[in-house]
Amino acid sequence: FQGIFVLGLPYALLHSGYSGLFLIILAAALCCYTGKILIACLYEENEDGQLIRVRDTYEDIANACCKKQSSKLGGIVVNVTQVMELIMTCILYLVVSGNLLSHSFPYVPMTEKTWSVMAFVTLLPCVFIKTLKIVSKLSQLCSLVHFIIILVVMTYCLTQIHQWSWAKFRLSIEFEDFLVSVGVIIFSYTSQIFLPKLEGNMKNPGEFRCMLNWTHFFACVLKTTFALTAFLTWGEETKEVITDNLPSFLQTLVNLCLLTKALLSYPLPFFAATEIVYACISRGNHSNYRSPLFALGVRGSFLLLTLLMAMFIPHFALLMGLTGSVTGAAMTFLLPSLFHLKLKWKKLSFLEKCADMSVFILGFLCSLAGILCSIKGLLEVFG
């Protein structure tokens, strides 16, 4: 919840004004709700009325919903969406790495794209990661670095409290800019693809709903506080990556910390995406698809793909908004509500059905509008 993409929230407030604060809170509530109904789809009642976990993954839920059409159609849709989101996350890490390096060393005559290539070179060992054990250790370091970054930014903002003014908030907003902000905010909360495995590995799964409530509550408080204090400090001058606003003596230090965090964060989505693809390809009995060399080729291809995409779309906020509107909205709002209605229709109350339908319609409209506006923004950037 508190990943590197939190740094785009002040920029989202710049384009959404007061409504952005409301959106951060609303997104937390909706994401918490869809997380609960997604996990509910893993369970069915037995003859004694007890809930039994009969499914293990998001893919299993999708296949159960689409079994009349095709036994594997739903799983394919979910896997494609998951891979898109994970690979887009990897691309964002490369884009932001190039941005951070160029701002940290402005006196070096290199473009952001060139710096992204430099960052890419340090990530080449990712093709040799075979287990989550290494990834988990890297993630622990990410948490420590992230805490340092947020602490530094927040401390500086508090030293500028005498300059704060609520007049910096917009009362009127541009509709297209607002919709891009919606995508950014949604993307900062996406976690549904990890929830089935997380719940299945909990010592006491019965505490899952309580855990979800508290984590979303604290995430909402932290995001709102960070976005608000940063925006009140810089106002209209707020940049896509908020650390670019820091004074030079802090910017280099924080940017290098962010670069470290981005590079350490890359292996997790990269590993998850390549594992999904490799598992889908190697399900057959063909021995060539199960060789270590083939797995290395899959990981190498995906690594190169993320670099090429980062070269073509080097715009952090627009790319983040597009990703949130496409895959984030689908995995967070559309599919959980649709699956819940499909699997639990006979047991849902009228209000529960209305809630699921409302989430689906809202997610669809936000996704469609966000996609159109993000694409238009990218086209304008490319002239």
Side-chain angles (χ1 to χ4, degrees):
F1 285 151
Q2 297 303 115
I4 198 170
F5 307 117
V6 172
L7 301 174
L9 290 180
Y11 186 75
L13 284 189
L14 172 65
H15 291 295
S16 57
Y18 284 101
S19 60
L21 295 175
F22 172 73
L23 278 172
I24 293 174
I25 298 170
L26 179 63
L30 292 177
C31 289
C32 183
Y33 173 75
T34 56
K36 292 174 182 177
I37 61 175
L38 180 67
I39 296 304
C41 293
L42 298 173
Y43 291 83
E44 295 290 349
E45 288 186 1
N46 62 12
E47 296 178 354
D48 300 324
Q50 296 177 323
L51 288 176
I52 305 297
R53 201 175 201 266
V54 296
R55 304 176 187 99
D56 293 317
T57 65
Y58 211 139
E59 182 183 359
D60 292 340
I61 297 171
N63 284 331
C65 291
C66 301
K67 61 183 179 181
K68 290 185 178 179
Q69 291 77 20
S70 171
S71 61
K72 296 182 179 180
L73 176 62
I76 292 172
V77 171
V78 166
N79 282 335
V80 169
T81 308
Q82 284 186 95
V83 170
M84 283 179 61
E85 179 167 346
L86 291 166
I87 290 297
M88 203 66 90
T89 303
C90 293
I91 295 166
L92 283 168
Y93 284 133
L94 277 177
V95 171
V96 80
S97 293
N99 177 280
L100 292 168
L101 281 167
S102 66
H103 285 86
S104 298
F105 306 102
Y107 46 85
V108 179
M110 291 173 63
T111 64
E112 283 191 20
K113 291 183 179 181
T114 307
W115 280 119
S116 292
V117 174
M118 297 289 289
F120 170 80
V121 172
T122 66
L123 294 170
L124 289 176
C126 288
V127 298
F128 301 107
I129 296 177
K130 298 179 180 179
T131 66
L132 274 173
K133 182 177 287 187
I134 298 174
V135 177
S136 65
K137 291 178 180 178
L138 297 175
S139 296
Q140 285 180 325
L141 291 174
C142 281
S143 300
L144 177 61
V145 175
H146 183 79
F147 175 77
I148 295 171
I149 295 166
I150 296 300
L151 183 63
V152 171
V153 176
M154 291 285 289
T155 301
Y156 177 80
C157 290
L158 291 174
T159 63
Q160 305 298 310
I161 197 169
H162 59 280
Q163 297 181 0
W164 289 9
S165 172
W166 287 96
K168 295 177 180 179
F169 270 94
R170 295 185 181 186
L171 292 175
S172 60
I173 57 175
E174 292 292 332
F175 185 65
E176 292 183 4
D177 291 337
F178 169 75
L179 289 173
V180 174
S181 298
V182 171
V184 172
I185 292 169
I186 290 174
F187 191 71
S188 73
Y189 276 107
T190 54
S191 65
Q192 269 66 7
I193 59 176
F194 304 109
L195 293 184
K197 181 166 286 190
L198 175 64
E199 192 264 356
N201 284 279
M202 287 181 69
K203 186 175 182 180
N204 185 1
E207 295 179 349
F208 178 82
R209 294 173 69 88
C210 179
M211 178 276 294
L212 215 57
N213 288 336
W214 281 110
T215 50
H216 280 79
F217 171 75
F218 283 117
C220 178
V221 171
L222 290 169
K223 287 178 191 294
T224 304
T225 303
F226 178 76
L228 188 59
T229 54
F231 178 72
L232 286 174
T233 301
W234 289 290
E236 292 292 327
E237 297 178 0
T238 301
K239 297 180 180 178
E240 288 187 14
V241 183
I242 196 60
T243 52
D244 289 346
N245 287 104
L246 290 171
S248 57
F249 70 93
L250 280 177
Q251 190 179 108
T252 301
L253 172 64
V254 173
N255 281 353
L256 290 176
C257 287
L258 277 170
L259 174 66
T260 303
K261 178 175 172 55
L263 296 177
L264 290 172
S265 299
Y266 183 98
L268 178 59
F270 175 79
F271 178 81
T274 52
E275 284 295 294
I276 291 172
V277 173
Y278 182 65
C280 292
I281 295 175
S282 61
R283 277 177 186 164
N285 294 321
H286 204 294
S287 59
N288 290 341
Y289 294 152
R290 295 185 176 183
S291 68
L293 188 61
F294 179 76
L296 194 66
V298 170
R299 291 193 287 268
S301 299
F302 269 74
L303 195 67
L304 186 59
L305 174 65
T306 60
L307 174 66
L308 294 175
M309 289 293 290
M311 294 296 98
F312 284 111
I313 316 176
H315 296 279
F316 180 71
L318 287 173
L319 185 56
M320 184 174 162
L322 180 61
T323 305
S325 299
V326 180
T327 61
M331 299 299 290
T332 307
F333 297 132
L334 301 180
L335 296 181
S337 55
L338 185 64
F339 292 163
H340 195 232
L341 286 169
K342 176 73 173 179
L343 295 174
K344 307 289 182 180
W345 178 265
K346 295 181 180 179
K347 298 178 181 178
L348 295 178
S349 66
F350 176 74
L351 289 177
E352 288 174 324
K353 291 177 182 177
C354 289
D356 285 356
M357 290 178 183
S358 299
V359 170
F360 181 85
I361 293 171
L362 181 64
F364 177 78
L365 293 176
C366 287
S367 179
L368 180 62
I371 290 169
L372 294 176
C373 292
S374 295
I375 291 175
K376 182 180 178 182
L378 287 170
L379 291 175
E380 288 174 352
V381 167
F382 286 108

